[in-house]
């Protein structure tokens, strides 16, 4: 909490040139003592106010006096690292979105080959369960009295883990 508060909330470095100073939390002093830390420096890696990571430097051999040029360089470096990390995060999201979009497009094309709406719904439920990695999907339909009834379902197999945790669910699915 202390480190997060210092580096992320204040968007600043945390230079501990006296790690055993009582102004630091007990846990941090304990870790510093255990490691034999003489000085430490923590830099936030933040992209547009979003904390991404920290860079943490320790020196156990002697006390390190960080000069302004070194600190300025590290500030520049962490700003570049944050931009690169953000690009990778955006790329991952884009890949995931593109994959889902591609699967849905393929499903739409595949639906054109089915002979009935029941086949379409069955395949749609199965594919959506896979795409979104959920346990199952149900399709309810209204009857002529405006009451919902279960028309179709697709549920992944109730494996042992699910059976142990939700036995009633698996039994209910087997009856439908």
């Amino acid at each position: 909490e202390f480190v997060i508060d210092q580096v992320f909330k204040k968007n600043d470095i945390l230079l501990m040139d006296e790690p055993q100073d009582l102004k630091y939390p007990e846990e941090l002093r304990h870790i510093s003592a255990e490691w034999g830390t003489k000085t430490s420096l923590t830099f936030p890696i933040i992209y547009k106010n979003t904390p991404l990571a920290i860079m943490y430097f320790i020196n156990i051999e002697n006390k390190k006096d960080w000069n302004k040029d070194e600190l300025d360089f590290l500030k520049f470096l962490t700003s570049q690292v944050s931009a690169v990390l953000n690009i990778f995060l955006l790329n991952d999201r884009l890949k995931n979105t593109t994959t889902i979009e591609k699967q849905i497009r393929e499903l739409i094309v595949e639906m054109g080959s089915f002979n009935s709406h029941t086949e379409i719904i069955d395949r749609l439920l199965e594919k959506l369960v896979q795409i979104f990695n959920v346990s199952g999907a149900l399709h309810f339909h209204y009857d002529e009295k405006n009451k919902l009834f279960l028309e179709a379902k697709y549920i992944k197999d109730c494996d042992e883990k699910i059976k142990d945790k939700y036995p009633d669910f698996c039994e209910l699915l087997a009856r439908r």
Side-chain angles (χ1 to χ4, degrees), residues 122-135:
D122 287 345
R123 181 66 176 139
L124 179 65
L125 294 179
E126 177 184 354
K127 197 66 176 169
L128 291 175
V129 164
Q130 293 167 2
I131 290 171
F132 295 112
N133 193 27
V134 294
S135 300

Side-chain angles (χ1 to χ4, degrees), residues 98-130:
T98 304
T99 300
I100 290 172
E101 183 183 322
K102 180 180 177 217
Q103 290 174 325
I104 291 173
R105 247 185 287 113
E106 289 170 356
L107 180 59
I108 290 169
V109 169
E110 182 184 351
M111 282 190 233
S113 67
F114 293 131
N115 296 318
S116 72
H117 77 281
T118 323
E119 285 180 283
I120 291 171
I121 295 296
D122 287 345
R123 181 66 176 139
L124 179 65
L125 294 179
E126 177 184 354
K127 197 66 176 169
L128 291 175
V129 164
Q130 293 167 2

Side-chain angles (χ1 to χ4, degrees), residues 83-169:
V84 170
L85 284 176
N86 189 59
I87 288 170
F88 278 108
L89 292 171
L90 290 173
N91 243 354
D92 286 346
R93 286 188 206 138
L94 182 61
K95 283 178 192 173
N96 188 35
T97 302
T98 304
T99 300
I100 290 172
E101 183 183 322
K102 180 180 177 217
Q103 290 174 325
I104 291 173
R105 247 185 287 113
E106 289 170 356
L107 180 59
I108 290 169
V109 169
E110 182 184 351
M111 282 190 233
S113 67
F114 293 131
N115 296 318
S116 72
H117 77 281
T118 323
E119 285 180 283
I120 291 171
I121 295 296
D122 287 345
R123 181 66 176 139
L124 179 65
L125 294 179
E126 177 184 354
K127 197 66 176 169
L128 291 175
V129 164
Q130 293 167 2
I131 290 171
F132 295 112
N133 193 27
V134 294
S135 300
L138 307 174
H139 170 70
F140 291 89
H141 212 77
Y142 281 103
D143 64 14
E144 61 279 350
K145 296 178 184 172
N146 277 345
K147 294 196 184 231
L148 282 175
F149 69 95
L150 179 63
E151 183 174 323
K153 70 173 192 248
Y154 180 83
I155 307 294
K156 286 183 189 175
D157 293 333
C158 278
D159 62 19
E160 292 307 313
K161 188 170 86 172
I162 292 174
K163 282 182 185 174
D164 290 345
K165 196 168 183 180
Y166 306 104
D168 295 338
F169 178 73

Side-chain angles (χ1 to χ4, degrees), residues 24-59:
Y24 300 119
E26 165 85 31
E27 184 179 355
L28 205 50
R29 291 193 319 266
H30 175 75
I31 291 170
S32 294
E34 194 174 282
W35 290 359
T37 305
K38 304 286 190 254
T39 56
S40 69
L41 177 66
T42 307
F43 255 92
I45 299 177
I46 298 173
Y47 185 79
K48 291 189 176 181
N49 297 324
T50 302
L52 299 177
I54 61 171
M55 232 183 257
Y56 183 66
F57 302 93
I58 63 169
N59 197 349

